Amino acid sequence: MSGKPRLTYCNGRGRMEPVRWLLAAAGVEFEEIFLETREQYEKLIKDGVLMFQQVPLVEIDGMKMVQTRAILSYIAGKYNLYGKDLKERALIDMYVEGITDLMQMILLFPFSPPEAKEKNLDSIKERATNRYFPVFEKVLKQHGQDFLVGNKFSWADVQLIEAILAAEEKIPAVLSGFPQLQAFKIRMSNMPTIKKFLQPGSPRKPPPDERYIETVLKIFKK
């Protein structure tokens, strides 16, 4: 082991992508093992590596961590991206949970049957523009600071820029009514670690394609 965190998942976004984002934003290099067959996945279960028989799996600091939320909160705490006190942490948690609800819809969208895609896309747009993005637009406008919590870069900012870019891939004009979020997107995209992650050749994964969907179904669907 090189000492770098090691991530085990499929070669695509899924539930590992926020982990990649957070590590990259913290300036942490990591290694990846990509699952390509059901046999690889079953071997991890047989070897007792996956506590709940689920990936993502992140090996960090001598631990084999599962459960995306636990992984992310550990990384955020380790790299000082989790607020200065319990109140800030609670705010970050609330923001992250809200963003995760929106990202869950985006994550599942590629697996929608063809006849449901238009309806599901409308649902993503409706939730993004009426429920989730207005919250962050209001927060940024009210406190007039660059970041969501404590005027300091945090896990919540990383989750939000990931969600904004993912939503824009599906709905290019999704930020048209949100000037604060438009400015936030530009600020975050120009932060050195995030700017690096957004460059071609970085560990950031492209939007799911047919090959990724087939791989996921082959490995995880019995």
Side-chain angles (χ1 to χ4, degrees), residues 87-135:
K87 287 186 176 180
E88 287 194 357
R89 185 168 291 198
L91 263 182
I92 290 168
D93 284 341
M94 286 193 288
Y95 293 158
V96 163
E97 287 292 322
I99 298 163
T100 301
D101 290 345
L102 175 61
M103 286 300 292
Q104 177 74 358
M105 298 175 71
I106 294 172
L107 185 147
L108 293 176
F109 177 77
F111 298 91
S112 307
E115 66 274 11
K117 281 206 181 314
E118 186 175 348
K119 180 183 176 184
N120 290 348
L121 190 62
D122 287 343
S123 293
I124 292 170
K125 181 178 180 181
E126 193 277 328
R127 292 285 181 88
T129 56
N130 292 325
R131 181 180 296 187
Y132 296 108
F133 287 171
V135 170

Side-chain angles (χ1 to χ4, degrees), residues 40-126:
Q40 287 175 292
Y41 171 57
E42 288 176 342
K43 185 177 188 305
L44 289 174
I45 295 173
K46 184 179 178 183
D47 291 347
V49 174
L50 303 178
M51 184 181 289
F52 299 108
Q53 302 184 16
Q54 295 171 317
V55 288
L57 167 66
V58 173
E59 296 171 76
I60 184 171
D61 295 342
M63 297 185 292
K64 291 180 168 62
M65 294 196 71
V66 295
Q67 296 296 332
T68 309
R69 172 68 201 228
I71 294 165
L72 289 166
S73 60
Y74 180 81
I75 293 167
K78 179 178 172 70
Y79 295 106
N80 198 25
L81 296 170
Y82 210 173
K84 72 177 188 297
D85 55 31
L86 278 174
K87 287 186 176 180
E88 287 194 357
R89 185 168 291 198
L91 263 182
I92 290 168
D93 284 341
M94 286 193 288
Y95 293 158
V96 163
E97 287 292 322
I99 298 163
T100 301
D101 290 345
L102 175 61
M103 286 300 292
Q104 177 74 358
M105 298 175 71
I106 294 172
L107 185 147
L108 293 176
F109 177 77
F111 298 91
S112 307
E115 66 274 11
K117 281 206 181 314
E118 186 175 348
K119 180 183 176 184
N120 290 348
L121 190 62
D122 287 343
S123 293
I124 292 170
K125 181 178 180 181
E126 193 277 328

